[in-house]
């Protein structure tokens, strides 16, 4: 009976050149992707460090005059936010808004409460919303009494802040129920019937000798900056890919040598 001779036991045929070519193409594509992601994160790192430096210079610089109303239409939050300014006017306590927020308690613990957004009418009649600071939730009922003891006329220094954008994971503002979760200038102005409102909020500095009422000076000036960590992760994955590829090629070459040497 004739036929093909049986394959010798232990046939160790190595993967062909085509397999190596396919693997090499895939590895190069993956390597290029990982390196580009790492490079992009390094570029983001440079951008974030520059942004932090600019914001720090603005926030800790001397207080400047408030941008005039004529410049409000062209307000550029990226260029102006966190700039320290000074303004004078009269608070309108009757039309202030309490926005849900977390803030520090007496012992440094985080407590639920509100930031108090009070309209300040400037001498020329224009209005700026001032974030006077944080109050714990239990102080809400006593705020009116505290305001009654506070003079309406005031001079404030603080940081310019842009209107807060709505986060899809945060409840929507409900003016009818006086439930506010976002410091949205347009919504607050509409709900309070305010006109000629500045396109920014001023976060007031801490009041000297603070004893009661909203606690200012709590603007967070630390910004997440993990771009270097992300870049090292992508570059590390690229290095691991190269190591795996080299190991596979070494085994592939050894297998081919053994296959050729086998009888």
């Amino acid at each position: 009976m004739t036929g093909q001779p049986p394959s010798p036991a232990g046939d160790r045929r190595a993967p062909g050149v085509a397999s190596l070519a396919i693997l090499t193409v895939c590895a190069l594509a993956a390597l290029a992707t990982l390196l580009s992601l790492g490079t992009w994160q390094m570029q983001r790192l440079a951008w974030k460090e520059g942004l932090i430096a600019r914001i720090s210079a603005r926030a800790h610089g001397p207080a400047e005059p408030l941008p005039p109303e004529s410049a409000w239409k062209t307000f550029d939050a990226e260029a102006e936010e966190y700039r320290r300014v000074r303004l004078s006017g009269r608070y309108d306590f009757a039309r202030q808004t309490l926005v849900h927020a977390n803030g520090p308690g007496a012992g440094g613990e985080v407590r639920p409460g509100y930031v108090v957004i009070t309209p300040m009418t400037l001498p020329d009649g224009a209005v700026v919303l001032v974030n006077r600071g944080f109050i714990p939730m239990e102080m809400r009922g006593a705020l009116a009494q505290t305001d009654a003891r506070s003079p309406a006329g005031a001079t404030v220094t603080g940081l310019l802040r842009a209107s807060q954008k709505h986060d899809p994971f945060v409840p929507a503002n409900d003016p009818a129920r006086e439930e506010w979760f976002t410091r949205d200038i347009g919504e607050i102005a509409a709900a309070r019937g305010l006109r000629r409102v500045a396109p920014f909020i001023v976060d007031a500095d801490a009041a000297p000798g603070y004893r009661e009422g909203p606690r200012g000076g709590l603007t967070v000036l630390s910004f997440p900056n993990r771009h270097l960590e992300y870049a090292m992760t992508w570059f590390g994955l690229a290095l691991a890919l190269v190591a795996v590829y080299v190991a596979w090629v070494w085994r592939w070459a050894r297998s081919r040598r053994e296959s050729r040497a086998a009888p």
Side-chain angles (χ1 to χ4, degrees):
M1 184 173 181
T2 61
Q4 294 290 335
S7 176
D11 185 5
R12 294 173 293 180
R13 288 175 293 179
V17 175
S19 297
L20 176 62
I22 293 173
L23 178 67
T24 300
V25 170
C26 293
L28 288 174
L31 181 63
T33 300
L34 293 171
L35 291 176
S36 65
L37 289 170
T39 301
W40 177 68
Q41 286 295 342
M42 293 300 293
Q43 293 170 346
R44 294 285 294 173
L45 173 65
W47 169 81
K48 179 60 73 66
E49 288 179 340
L51 176 64
I52 292 173
R54 291 193 299 273
I55 287 176
S56 179
R58 296 174 199 165
H60 298 102
E64 302 175 0
L66 195 72
E69 186 177 3
S70 59
W72 289 358
K73 289 185 178 180
T74 57
F75 175 71
D76 182 354
E78 184 174 344
E80 299 293 334
E81 195 170 20
Y82 297 100
R83 189 177 302 283
R84 184 170 297 283
V85 295
R86 177 182 290 106
L87 65 157
S88 297
R90 294 187 63 81
Y91 280 130
D92 186 350
F93 296 121
R95 293 197 280 183
Q96 64 190 4
T97 302
L98 274 59
V99 182
H100 285 278
N102 292 321
E109 73 283 3
V110 177
R111 301 177 63 184
Y114 310 92
V115 290
V116 181
I117 309 296
T118 307
M120 173 176 275
T121 303
L122 304 181
D124 63 0
V127 176
V128 175
L129 297 181
V130 177
N131 171 12
R132 293 198 289 141
F134 174 80
I135 59 169
M137 191 168 288
E138 62 270 18
M139 188 182 169
R140 178 169 185 164
L143 182 61
Q145 299 175 13
T146 302
D147 290 342
R149 295 191 292 270
S150 302
T155 295
V156 176
T157 60
L159 305 181
L160 285 185
R161 299 296 307 279
S163 182
Q164 190 176 16
K165 297 180 180 178
H166 176 67
D167 188 318
F169 299 102
V170 174
N173 292 329
D174 189 348
R177 297 178 57 195
E178 285 300 324
E179 290 290 341
W180 296 86
F181 300 91
T182 303
R183 287 170 284 177
D184 185 303
I185 294 174
E187 285 191 50
I188 292 174
R192 300 294 182 248
L194 301 172
R195 300 290 183 271
R196 296 175 59 193
V197 181
F200 47 77
I201 294 173
V202 174
D203 283 359
D205 291 340
Y210 166 82
R211 291 185 178 181
E212 63 175 356
R215 180 180 175 185
L218 299 178
T219 304
V220 176
L221 290 174
S222 61
F223 303 93
N225 185 10
R226 302 181 63 185
H227 296 295
L228 181 59
E229 176 186 339
Y230 298 150
M232 292 302 100
T233 299
W234 292 121
F235 289 142
L237 289 173
L239 184 61
L241 174 65
V242 171
V244 170
Y245 174 78
V246 170
W248 191 93
V249 170
W250 181 82
R251 292 183 60 185
W252 175 85
R254 187 182 65 174
S255 179
R256 283 183 65 85
R257 287 195 301 269
E258 292 175 350
S259 177
R260 291 171 179 174

